[in-house]
Amino acid sequence: MNLSMKNITKPLQLMIFKQLKRYTSKIAVEIDGNVMQKINNDEVKPRQHPGIIKFNRTLLPANIEKALEKSVGDFPIKTLMEDCKKLNQFIASRHPPAEAEEINVKMKKIMDEIETIMPHEQITNLSEQERKQWQQRREQMLQRRIRERTFAWKPVQYGQYESIVYAVGRGAHEYGVLMRILQEIKKRDTEFKPQSYFDFGSGVGTGMWAASNLWKESIFEYFNVDSSSHMNELSELILRDGNENQQMTLRNVFYRQFLPGLETKYDLVLCSHSLFELASSEDRLNVILNLWKKCDGYLIIVEEGTRRGSQLVNEARDLILSLEEHSLVGHVFAPCPHDNICPRLSNSEDRTPCNFEINFVPTNLNKKTNRTATARFSYVVLKKGLPEDNTRAWPRLVRPTLVRSKHAICRMCTSEGTLQEIIFTESKHGRPAYRCAKASRWGDRLPITIGEHFETITKTKPKIKSTMTDNAVVQQPLKEE
């Protein structure tokens, strides 16, 4: 049997090697002109494009770590570290207080359920004593189901010990989150040199540590508001390196337990992990509006990266963007590349929060360690005035980049207020775009403009299968799958 191609007729060879056309869908992508020019001129490498926020794991400054160790005093370290874990678990699972309307809806649903189980018709044949017992059982069932389905919210009271637990258990966590957010502001707005800083719910001063790390030379006033006097005292003690008789490491630091009535303006205003402590939606919105009126630059709102934390951040975002008074007009600086409704939270069926992730080294008083932990957070940075940043429309990655063989999958929030997934390949989008996408991480921005979907034609040679005949092997193209 001769297996050479000479035994195959020419028409059959043409049929075998006839190229097939495969229609695929492509999303047009164009790299920002300035970025592309810098890449072509070898001024910037694609893996270091300007949308990347270089942020590795964070460590607390050495002086803060030492001050925390001194502040612990005689409290038992083992018990303290266990309580730190409990505090983090509590904060991660926390709900905002239920609103009256929400409770009424739940009660109506529960009453319908109880009516099915214990219908009122049962009373007719009961004695007076039996009716009282029946009503009592019904009321107990109602209260039990309300407790089971409604989060038992109450404000957290931070005394001396609780404040130390918060500082040790949450200090490094919140410092890392705020450093990530503030570093983006510094990178994108190089001319921003804040002279004044205001922190609502300042706690032990984590926001102050981060802001002073980046702008210590320009900030001349730090104004901290926290309802716990013990938190304020511990914050001041940490700035004195754990020694009450030592001078504070920062200048002009002030503490208050309530929001001041004066309408003094501040360049940088922060509300970090504080909205869950407010008793109602009305209280939250009043505080946010108050802070926005005090803001003369950036307002930063941060919460846990849970669904409920993301909702509270979005609630504040929507309030600010709805304001029409000229002096209160603002826009979203980060993370959203738009001022539209959040595409993640507008879908009630999608329980995925809009959040981001950082790595940090937690404080551990038991032993020295470089163990890395992960923190997820939801945030918004709002800026007074109209947008001026030409790169604001760059889409932001809202989930980790999936790097696979010869392609990278990026899931992004776009300037149109939509969620978009693009599979980047070198052949479809070009080498620079593919390499930029491949190097980008969750939370980075891609310096691209996203275009429309359109079909492309890919020519491919068919796979060949062999069939035996009396004189030769006849090869036939396989059908497309």
Side-chain angles (χ1 to χ4, degrees):
M1 185 186 304
N2 188 353
L3 300 179
S4 69
M5 291 295 292
K6 293 180 181 179
N7 293 328
I8 303 176
T9 62
K10 188 172 182 179
L12 185 56
Q13 289 182 31
L14 291 175
M15 181 186 70
I16 294 171
F17 293 112
K18 180 182 178 181
Q19 292 188 330
L20 301 177
K21 294 180 180 179
R22 183 189 297 272
Y23 291 89
T24 58
S25 178
K26 173 183 174 182
I27 301 174
V29 166
E30 183 179 356
I31 294 184
D32 181 276
N34 293 330
V35 176
M36 191 65 188
Q37 184 178 357
K38 290 179 180 179
I39 291 175
N40 291 334
N41 295 337
D42 291 330
E43 297 176 28
V44 173
K45 295 184 182 296
R47 65 175 179 272
Q48 297 172 340
H49 67 80
I52 289 179
I53 305 297
K54 295 180 181 178
F55 193 82
N56 297 319
R57 67 176 191 169
T58 57
L59 284 160
L60 275 178
N63 64 312
I64 300 293
E65 282 276 12
K66 290 180 181 178
L68 283 176
E69 292 176 6
K70 289 181 182 179
S71 302
V72 169
D74 297 329
F75 289 112
I77 292 177
K78 184 177 180 181
T79 303
L80 181 63
M81 298 308 296
E82 290 175 354
D83 288 339
C84 287
K85 290 181 181 179
K86 292 177 183 178
L87 176 65
N88 281 312
Q89 291 170 355
F90 168 75
I91 291 177
S93 62
R94 205 167 189 207
H95 295 225
E99 300 295 322
E101 182 180 351
E102 180 185 353
I103 294 174
N104 291 337
V105 171
K106 287 184 178 180
M107 283 191 66
K108 185 179 184 305
K109 185 176 180 180
I110 293 171
M111 288 298 294
D112 291 341
E113 294 174 3
I114 294 175
E115 183 63 28
T116 304
I117 299 170
M118 299 177 67
H120 268 90
E121 289 78 6
Q122 292 179 351
I123 301 180
T124 54
N125 298 324
L126 299 178
S127 65
E128 187 67 27
Q129 182 65 26
E130 289 172 333
R131 286 185 183 185
K132 288 182 180 180
Q133 293 175 351
W134 186 88
Q135 289 285 5
Q136 189 176 6
R137 289 198 306 272
R138 187 181 168 99
E139 182 65 24
Q140 289 173 347
M141 185 183 294
L142 172 64
Q143 296 301 326
R144 185 177 67 254
R145 296 196 176 198
I146 289 176
R147 287 195 302 271
E148 290 172 351
R149 302 183 192 183
T150 305
F151 183 76
W153 178 91
K154 61 180 180 180
V156 181
Q157 302 295 328
Y158 289 98
Q160 182 184 9
Y161 176 72
E162 291 79 11
S163 298
I164 291 175
V165 170
Y166 195 97
V168 175
R170 301 282 302 175
H173 174 132
E174 294 184 11
Y175 174 78
V177 168
L178 295 172
M179 279 295 294
R180 162 63 181 80
I181 297 169
L182 293 175
Q183 277 190 6
E184 180 174 356
I185 295 176
K186 185 171 184 178
K187 179 179 180 180
R188 290 175 56 187
D189 189 353
T190 55
E191 297 182 358
F192 180 62
K193 307 289 184 187
Q195 295 184 342
S196 53
Y197 167 88
F198 186 97
D199 190 347
F200 174 77
S202 55
V204 294
T206 50
M208 190 166 45
W209 307 342
S212 63
N213 193 323
L214 299 176
W215 295 292
K216 186 175 182 178
E217 297 304 318
S218 65
I219 299 178
F220 69 86
E221 180 185 4
Y222 299 86
F223 200 106
N224 300 284
V225 177
D226 197 284
S227 59
S228 170
S229 60
H230 296 283
M231 282 283 202
N232 292 333
E233 290 168 4
L234 180 58
S235 174
E236 184 174 343
L237 182 62
I238 291 171
L239 290 183
R240 297 182 187 276
D241 292 335
N243 186 345
E244 293 180 355
N245 299 319
Q246 189 168 321
Q247 187 176 357
M248 283 197 288
T249 54
L250 296 177
R251 57 184 174 177
N252 299 327
V253 179
F254 304 99
Y255 294 96
R256 296 289 186 275
Q257 287 184 257
F258 305 98
L259 275 170
L262 298 175
E263 293 188 4
T264 308
K265 300 286 187 179
Y266 297 86
D267 297 329
L268 184 61
V269 180
L270 174 66
C271 178
S272 172
H273 300 86
S274 300
L275 296 180
F276 278 97
E277 300 301 321
L278 300 176
S280 67
S281 173
E282 183 179 0
D283 288 347
R284 293 194 297 269
L285 296 179
N286 286 338
V287 166
I288 294 299
L289 183 58
N290 191 326
L291 296 178
W292 185 239
K293 288 179 178 179
K294 294 182 184 302
C295 175
D296 200 28
Y298 290 96
L299 169 62
I300 303 169
I301 301 166
V302 191
E303 286 297 338
E304 286 293 294
T306 60
R307 174 75 179 184
R308 296 172 188 90
S310 182
Q311 287 172 335
L312 293 191
V313 171
N314 192 64
E315 178 184 69
R317 175 187 183 273
D318 289 347
L319 170 67
I320 301 301
L321 295 180
S322 69
L323 301 175
E324 298 180 354
E325 186 178 333
H326 179 71
S327 62
L328 298 178
V329 170
H331 65 277
V332 178
F333 179 83
C336 323
H338 59 85
D339 289 340
N340 301 322
I341 297 173
C342 175
R344 181 74 75 189
L345 297 178
S346 61
N347 184 357
S348 60
E349 296 180 359
D350 181 7
R351 306 302 298 172
T352 307
C354 177
N355 59 11
F356 302 89
E357 188 176 88
I358 59 119
N359 294 323
F360 69 98
V361 178
T363 302
N364 192 333
L365 302 176
N366 286 322
K367 57 183 179 179
K368 295 295 182 181
T369 178
N370 285 328
R371 178 177 64 88
T372 299
T374 300
R376 289 192 177 179
F377 61 99
S378 296
Y379 78 106
V380 65
V381 179
L382 298 150
K383 187 178 182 182
K384 276 286 179 73
L386 299 175
E388 297 177 351
D389 184 1
N390 294 329
T391 71
R392 179 177 180 253
W394 291 358
R396 187 179 298 268
L397 275 71
V398 293
R399 282 295 174 265
T401 302
L402 304 178
V403 179
R404 300 293 184 261
S405 176
K406 297 184 180 180
H407 68 278
I409 305 172
C410 294
R411 291 165 288 185
M412 300 168 286
C413 182
T414 73
S415 59
E416 301 298 320
T418 59
L419 295 174
Q420 178 73 65
E421 180 179 284
I422 298 180
I423 303 175
F424 287 88
T425 64
E426 189 173 330
S427 60
K428 288 183 180 180
H429 301 101
R431 184 176 178 82
Y434 168 61
R435 292 184 65 193
C436 284
K438 187 177 178 180
S440 299
R441 298 186 299 178
W442 185 3
D444 290 338
R445 300 181 303 147
L446 269 178
I448 61 172
T449 301
I450 301 175
E452 301 294 329
H453 291 254
F454 62 90
E455 286 189 341
T456 59
I457 300 174
T458 303
K459 294 182 179 181
T460 59
K461 289 186 178 181
K463 297 178 183 178
I464 304 299
K465 72 175 181 178
S466 299
T467 57
M468 301 293 295
T469 65
D470 291 339
N471 299 320
V473 176
V474 179
Q475 296 183 332
Q476 299 176 346
L478 290 174
K479 292 182 180 180
E480 288 281 316
E481 292 183 358

